[in-house]
Amino acid sequence: MKLHNKLLAAALLLGGVQGAYAADLGTNAGQTINNTASVSFSVGGVPQTAPADGTAEFVVDRKVDVVVDATSGASVAPGANDQVLTFDVTNKTNDTMDFILSTDQLTGDDFNATGVQIWVDTNGNGALDTTDPDGAGPLAADSQVSYIDDLAEDDTIKVFVVSDIPATPTVSDGDTSDIALVAQAAAPTGSSGSPGAALAESGAADDANTVENVFADAAGTATGDAAEDGKHSDTATYTVGAASVSVTKTYKVIWENYDAVTPGNSTNYSDTGELKPIPGALVEYCILVSNTGGATATDVAISDPIDTTHLTWVVDSIKVAADCSDYDAATNTEDDDTTDEDPDGAGPLLGDESDGISGSYNSGTGTVSTDVDSLSGSSTTATMFRVIVK
């Protein structure tokens, strides 16, 4: 379900969420510094006082620096909503600052995420909470915002970029989407409910009585984010892990003349070459399901209605294995219903359905069904069963 937009609280006090103690980044901006020099001298041995005023005074300017650090990407499924990338934003300015937040979907990747939102870790627990995490307070939900308000010097706060992932066939296994978070320095507003204006770097001439802005940030990864431009950015990546499932069905003749009552009395007529599926032949089918993707496929349901007009079902003949060569392995036995009938609960006795796999045959519809809880990437599962040609 899509995350609902939230109204910004008028007092979004984010400064100091993660840092109880702000390290000293130098003299605070706006601090007045004055020094007075005096001169004494004598004329004809008589002490004199210099008439000139030797006082020099200036205010400390603002060294603007912000660091954005991508702390986690995300492995995502096609069509998934509300997928989270995590960033840290640190104010390295010698002043409390606002930061305007934006995102940049970079070129050169495979797809663009949609519905991009920015959330700030208002409650400071390091995780995205779109609602009160325990429903009881005092932790409130995080805030969907476009800025950070009043972040103290050297404090860090987490920011979450939340997006939706396109479905297949737009994206496929291994595709990536790169999103940069940009933090632009803005004048602090004192929790006004809206960000200050983006800072502009001051001119070349120094004004001793004005707090001026000197940009000291490094270049970031967003498009056009250069060094000393009053902003910084870093990139996190969505990586698609998709399941790519395919199915093939094969058959082989076990006996050309099968004695269902006394199997040991079965015979073959083809002395050379392949056995033939003639009337009375025992035929083994194998349905091989392959997952060649990087993500696990879950709730894999295999259904195969057999031709009951020309085939007779062999009771308790369902076997499930990794491939079509394992029919005789005792551990691959499945019976003809989905009820766990393992008598000692330890397997691999007939009817053990507690291993995440069940096989059944519906005599009313003539349908063979297998349910596999999960099929990991680059793996296969084989459902085998037997019939007799009428």
Side-chain angles (χ1 to χ4, degrees):
M1 181 170 143
K2 190 64 193 167
L3 303 179
H4 296 294
N5 290 341
K6 294 180 180 286
L7 295 177
L8 286 177
L12 183 59
L13 300 178
L14 301 181
V17 170
Q18 292 189 359
Y21 172 76
D24 187 5
L25 296 177
T27 304
N28 290 341
Q31 173 66 48
T32 299
I33 297 177
N34 60 66
N35 292 281
T36 301
S38 60
V39 178
S40 62
F41 62 97
S42 297
V43 176
V46 179
Q48 306 292 314
T49 301
D53 183 359
T55 299
E57 181 177 286
F58 64 89
V59 295
V60 175
D61 291 328
R62 186 182 288 119
K63 181 182 178 182
V64 180
D65 191 7
V66 57
V67 176
V68 178
D69 181 28
T71 58
S72 73
S75 178
V76 297
N81 291 332
D82 306 329
Q83 302 302 291
V84 180
L85 302 173
T86 306
F87 299 81
D88 283 344
V89 176
T90 303
N91 178 19
K92 305 299 288 185
T93 307
N94 60 328
D95 197 0
T96 297
M97 298 293 295
D98 285 0
F99 293 99
I100 300 169
L101 301 175
S102 61
T103 59
D104 179 24
Q105 301 219 36
L106 303 183
T107 59
D109 54 7
D110 299 305
F111 69 94
N112 284 344
T114 61
V116 179
Q117 303 172 1
I118 299 173
W119 290 70
V120 174
D121 187 21
T122 313
N123 61 30
N125 68 351
L128 175 63
D129 299 306
T130 59
T131 59
D132 181 351
D134 61 7
L139 286 179
D142 293 328
S143 300
Q144 183 186 344
V145 296
S146 59
Y147 73 101
I148 297 171
D149 196 16
D150 292 345
L151 188 61
E153 69 175 66
D154 210 34
D155 268 8
T156 297
I157 192 165
K158 286 195 177 298
V159 177
F160 309 104
V161 171
V162 183
S163 312
D164 298 336
I165 308 302
T168 54
T170 302
V171 300
S172 57
D173 187 52
D175 282 354
T176 60
S177 177
D178 297 326
I179 298 183
L181 177 71
V182 183
Q184 169 79 53
T189 57
S191 303
S192 68
S194 61
L199 290 185
E201 192 165 33
S202 302
D206 177 49
D207 184 339
N209 300 311
T210 301
V211 176
E212 297 177 289
N213 300 315
V214 179
F215 290 164
D217 55 275
T221 60
T223 305
D225 182 8
E228 301 173 10
D229 60 359
K231 60 179 180 287
H232 190 246
S233 57
D234 198 14
T235 299
T237 301
Y238 292 116
T239 303
V240 174
S244 180
V245 177
S246 61
V247 59
T248 58
K249 184 178 180 181
T250 58
Y251 78 92
K252 65 180 177 180
V253 178
I254 307 302
W255 292 100
E256 287 180 323
N257 182 41
Y258 181 64
D259 187 339
V261 177
T262 310
N265 293 335
S266 302
T267 58
N268 289 324
Y269 302 114
S270 297
D271 295 328
T272 60
E274 295 282 342
L275 301 182
K276 308 300 190 292
I278 60 177
L282 177 66
V283 175
E284 179 182 295
Y285 283 112
C286 180
I287 304 169
L288 184 67
V289 178
S290 301
N291 179 9
T292 58
T296 297
T298 58
D299 300 323
V300 179
I302 301 163
S303 179
D304 184 18
I306 66 173
D307 182 1
T308 55
T309 301
H310 303 102
L311 300 173
T312 299
W313 171 255
V314 176
V315 176
D316 289 341
S317 66
I318 298 176
K319 299 288 186 77
V320 179
D323 57 57
C324 295
S325 65
D326 289 344
Y327 185 85
D328 293 328
T331 56
N332 301 326
T333 300
E334 298 292 335
D335 65 357
D336 292 350
D337 59 51
T338 56
T339 302
D340 188 357
E341 296 153 351
D342 180 0
D344 63 4
L349 297 176
L350 185 68
D352 183 7
E353 315 289 355
S354 61
D355 56 359
I357 299 173
S358 64
S360 64
Y361 175 69
N362 186 320
S363 58
T365 62
T367 301
V368 180
S369 300
T370 303
D371 294 314
V372 179
D373 285 354
S374 64
L375 184 62
S376 59
S378 302
S379 66
T380 60
T381 183
T383 295
M384 294 161 283
F385 60 89
R386 292 181 175 182
V387 295
I388 299 172
V389 179
K390 292 183 179 179

